[in-house]
Amino acid sequence: MELSNVDAQVILSHGQRPLTCPFPPGVQQAPPVTSVLDDGTLEFKNGERTKPEVFLFCTGYNFTFPFLDKKVGIKVQEHLVWPLYKFLIPPAYPSLFI
């Protein structure tokens, strides 16, 4: 069984709840990858398969900023850092970039 949208240029597969935000054209979600077959085909948890040109395996990371004083106001929870303007600048300290 092949993945239904053959026009997808990017397939986002992860073990978390599916994202509900709108995706740009050419991007679709799929269930988690359960195996990579000998010919490079990916098999997903629901049995669907696709053969990608590139398979980018990201293991993730955890944020930690032990060097920042708590008064900066940066909060870290479940792989999310906030509040940051453009994911870089804490609003209270516009000259500090993370």
Side-chain angles (χ1 to χ4, degrees):
M1 169 185 315
E2 288 290 318
L3 209 57
S4 58
N5 185 352
V6 294
D7 295 329
Q9 297 169 351
V10 174
I11 299 172
L12 176 62
S13 169
H14 55 82
Q16 305 298 317
R17 289 184 304 238
L19 300 172
T20 57
C21 59
F23 291 109
V27 177
Q28 75 176 66
Q29 289 188 89
V33 173
T34 56
S35 62
V36 179
L37 306 179
D38 289 339
D39 68 352
T41 297
L42 302 179
E43 186 169 73
F44 298 95
K45 190 174 184 175
N46 65 357
E48 291 184 313
R49 294 179 177 184
T50 192
K51 189 168 184 182
E53 287 184 33
V54 175
F55 176 48
L56 182 62
F57 186 71
C58 302
T59 59
Y61 47 88
N62 293 318
F63 293 104
T64 179
F65 301 104
F67 51 87
L68 289 180
D69 191 292
K70 292 196 185 289
K71 71 181 178 182
V72 173
I74 298 299
K75 297 179 176 102
V76 179
Q77 183 179 12
E78 295 185 20
H79 309 290
L80 178 66
V81 180
W82 83 97
L84 295 176
Y85 173 71
K86 300 274 186 177
F87 302 103
L88 297 171
I89 307 166
Y93 295 87
S95 62
L96 175 64
F97 290 78
I98 298 177

